[in-house]
Amino acid sequence: MSDYTPPALDDIRDSWACEHARAEVPQEKLREEFDRVIAEVERAAAEKAWKRLANIVYPLYEAAEAVLLAGADTQKLMGPLAKLGAQSNPYRLNDGEKQ
């Protein structure tokens, strides 16, 4: 495995602002623009994760509700539970990774 450590977000922001600096736009404004772009990417990633979670959890909720309220067969829970158990977390950090 590589010993490479990617630069911190602050370093990337500063580098991007320096490379795109123009006389009429101060670097601080460019840093703010960079932060807005990063915030939008993070928001979109969170929305995607929320939708994926809802697709897994909602069927489980419906099955549990049927079992508890309607006295349905507990086997109805097995399908959604198996689906939930088979999911791997694509957002999980690997060993040694930092957030």
Side-chain angles (χ1 to χ4, degrees):
M1 190 151 172
S2 172
D3 290 334
Y4 172 75
T5 302
L9 187 58
D10 291 339
D11 296 336
I12 295 170
R13 177 189 305 105
D14 292 340
S15 176
W16 186 87
C18 287
E19 289 177 16
H20 292 85
R22 300 178 294 277
E24 68 275 3
V25 180
Q27 284 189 13
E28 189 56 37
K29 292 289 184 191
L30 291 169
R31 287 183 183 93
E32 290 171 6
E33 180 182 335
F34 181 88
D35 288 340
R36 280 191 299 275
V37 170
I38 292 297
E40 177 57 26
V41 168
E42 289 175 342
R43 187 210 58 78
E47 181 180 350
K48 180 180 177 183
W50 185 260
K51 286 180 180 178
R52 289 185 68 178
L53 177 64
N55 288 336
I56 295 167
V57 172
Y58 191 71
L60 180 60
Y61 167 79
E62 286 182 321
E65 185 178 50
V67 168
L68 293 174
L69 297 178
D73 183 15
T74 57
Q75 289 300 316
K76 283 191 167 192
L77 279 174
M78 297 314 292
L81 280 173
K83 182 179 178 185
L84 181 60
Q87 298 295 315
S88 62
N89 183 354
Y91 310 105
R92 184 178 61 90
L93 295 176
N94 294 325
D95 291 336
E97 288 186 61
K98 294 180 182 178
Q99 207 169 11

